[in-house]
Amino acid sequence: MQSLSEGEKRQVLGSVLADQLAAIQESVKDVPEIKQQLQKLDQDILQIGSDMKIVKAAITDITQQINEHENQLRHLQAI
């Protein structure tokens, strides 16, 4: 079995490193787009939270109205 010379070892190592660098570049190329998508999702979640507060307030108001109507009906039925 023949061992590699220093130059051949460097070539092999350079090739391996180039392959690894290419793999790293491939895996991180979408990071800026993913970051933008996360920022949009963050804004959307904040909007949903705000909308949910409005929905909760509306449901609370409707529940109070229903309770008042039920009390009025009970009162009318008692007459």
Side-chain angles (χ1 to χ4, degrees):
M1 195 181 222
Q2 184 180 3
S3 63
L4 298 175
S5 70
E6 283 299 313
E8 292 171 327
K9 287 179 186 178
R10 286 187 184 131
Q11 277 186 318
V12 170
L13 181 58
S15 176
V16 169
L17 291 175
D19 289 346
Q20 289 177 345
L21 180 58
I24 290 169
Q25 287 174 331
E26 179 67 26
S27 65
V28 299
K29 72 177 182 176
D30 295 330
V31 169
E33 182 180 337
I34 292 169
K35 184 178 177 182
Q36 287 177 347
Q37 290 173 349
L38 286 175
Q39 289 172 343
K40 184 178 181 329
L41 282 174
D42 190 41
Q43 292 171 354
D44 290 346
I45 288 170
L46 289 174
Q47 182 62 47
I48 289 170
S50 176
D51 292 348
M52 288 306 297
K53 288 178 184 178
I54 294 168
V55 169
K56 183 178 178 181
I59 289 173
T60 301
D61 183 54
I62 290 170
T63 301
Q64 289 173 350
Q65 290 178 19
I66 289 172
N67 289 337
E68 288 174 17
H69 290 154
E70 287 177 350
N71 288 336
Q72 290 173 354
L73 284 173
R74 279 191 216 107
H75 178 71
L76 290 173
Q77 289 172 346
I79 295 178

